[in-house]
Amino acid sequence: MLSTGALRAHLLAAGLAGRVATSREENLRSYRLFAARDPRVLLGLDPAWVWDEAGLLRLMADKCGVSGDPAHRSGPDVIDPERTVRGLDAFAARLGAAAARRVPVLLGTGHPHRLLGFYVALADALSAAGCLVLTPAQGRCVDTTTRFGVRTYLLDYVRGVALVREPGPSGDGRVRGAHSHSPLPVRAALESAADCGGPLPELVVGDHGWVCGAGQLGIEAIGLADTDDPALFVGEAEGQVSVAVPLDDGVRSASYLPLTRYVLNRACLSR
């Protein structure tokens, strides 16, 4: 088992917490856009409370450990590794409870290049524990607004984990997911599950729009979030999101493997 101390050391060494690559400028820009209710950073959340930039900065300092000094306007920002560990513990507890009750689950990521392996391991473990890992609306087209305009993606699944990808095979025939913040894929998946009369998930696991989109619809949702994604932490503060784990979501994919082992062990899902 990876100890809490070893996990903390890994978080710092890998840049998952401590001084992170997400800059102060990126964070403040996201908080400004969220305060203006820009849908690009709401991620499908419809906040019940009024959030201004100052309130968001206080929230993110509390939830993530970023600097709470409003005069800090540029340079690096930080994530408190203790908050990351506490978040992973809460995340694992929710996974363990879902596995114990053998509830249907849906997993999805907007960061397939970095986080797919993390979620695949969770999907495998939940399935082995008797949970039905749902894959509704596979192959469905989803029109998503991006900075390049509206693009059509396909909803696909890799070993039980949802993602969106561009239509058509890649040059080597492999499925390559696209980076996405949109809540539209989870809405499409839930709509398809409901239309087919199949089970709806009782837990959604993921990031970005997968978590906020599901949580906004009243489905328990847990996920990982960077400091420039305030929507998940607002959702947690308001009660739409059960757990938001603060960490850098853009480091090498291999760096998340120790987190996988830690979470599965804490959830009593290790094999």
Side-chain angles (χ1 to χ4, degrees), residues 4 92 183 189 196 212-213 256 267:
T4 301
C196 294
C212 290
Y256 300 97

Side-chain angles (χ1 to χ4, degrees), residues 117-154:
F118 175 81
Y119 295 119
V120 163
L122 303 187
D124 287 346
L126 288 166
S127 178
C131 292
L132 179 61
V133 177
L134 302 175
T135 57
Q138 183 160 16
R140 179 166 170 174
C141 293
V142 181
D143 292 330
T144 303
T145 301
T146 73
R147 60 180 175 170
F148 306 108
V150 177
R151 285 191 170 179
T152 298
Y153 292 108
L154 296 181

Side-chain angles (χ1 to χ4, degrees), residues 1-265:
M1 175 183 176
L2 186 69
S3 69
T4 301
L7 173 64
R8 188 184 302 108
H10 172 73
L11 293 172
L12 294 170
L16 290 159
R19 181 175 289 191
V20 293
T22 309
S23 70
R24 184 67 166 186
E25 293 94 332
E26 290 176 84
N27 287 339
L28 294 179
R29 176 180 179 273
S30 292
Y31 307 161
R32 182 173 65 253
L33 292 174
F34 190 96
R37 298 208 169 211
D38 189 309
R40 292 174 295 176
V41 293
L42 292 177
L43 310 184
L45 193 73
D46 182 15
W49 307 345
V50 176
W51 293 92
D52 59 16
E53 292 181 58
L56 283 167
L57 182 57
R58 288 192 296 270
L59 175 77
M60 297 301 286
D62 177 60
K63 294 285 189 179
C64 305
V66 302
S67 171
D69 181 3
H72 180 195
R73 307 296 299 177
S74 63
D77 217 329
V78 296
I79 295 174
D80 177 12
E82 298 298 336
R83 288 171 169 83
T84 304
V85 172
R86 289 200 299 268
L88 289 170
D89 287 344
F91 184 97
R94 296 287 185 172
L95 281 183
R101 294 185 290 118
R102 297 185 179 180
V103 302
V105 295
L106 175 66
L107 298 95
T109 181
H111 266 297
H113 303 97
R114 307 294 186 185
L115 291 168
L116 182 59
F118 175 81
Y119 295 119
V120 163
L122 303 187
D124 287 346
L126 288 166
S127 178
C131 292
L132 179 61
V133 177
L134 302 175
T135 57
Q138 183 160 16
R140 179 166 170 174
C141 293
V142 181
D143 292 330
T144 303
T145 301
T146 73
R147 60 180 175 170
F148 306 108
V150 177
R151 285 191 170 179
T152 298
Y153 292 108
L154 296 181
L155 180 57
D156 208 344
Y157 290 84
V158 175
R159 291 177 58 186
V161 179
L163 49 81
V164 294
R165 64 176 179 86
E166 293 188 359
S170 61
D172 58 8
R174 298 172 60 189
V175 173
R176 297 194 184 279
H179 181 218
S180 172
H181 285 223
S182 175
L184 297 180
V186 73
R187 292 175 186 167
L190 295 172
E191 179 184 36
S192 178
D195 288 347
C196 294
L200 291 171
E202 293 187 32
L203 179 68
V204 172
V205 182
D207 47 58
H208 291 171
W210 288 95
V211 174
C212 290
Q216 183 63 43
L217 295 174
I219 297 172
E220 183 176 14
I222 62 175
L224 313 178
D226 209 331
T227 52
D228 61 349
D229 290 327
L232 279 83
F233 300 101
V234 169
E236 186 179 44
E238 292 191 353
Q240 294 99 319
V241 173
S242 292
V243 178
V245 182
L247 51 70
D248 190 316
D249 59 13
V251 304
R252 295 185 310 113
S253 57
S255 297
Y256 300 97
L257 293 177
L259 278 63
T260 305
R261 295 195 297 270
Y262 181 85
V263 165
L264 292 180
N265 190 280

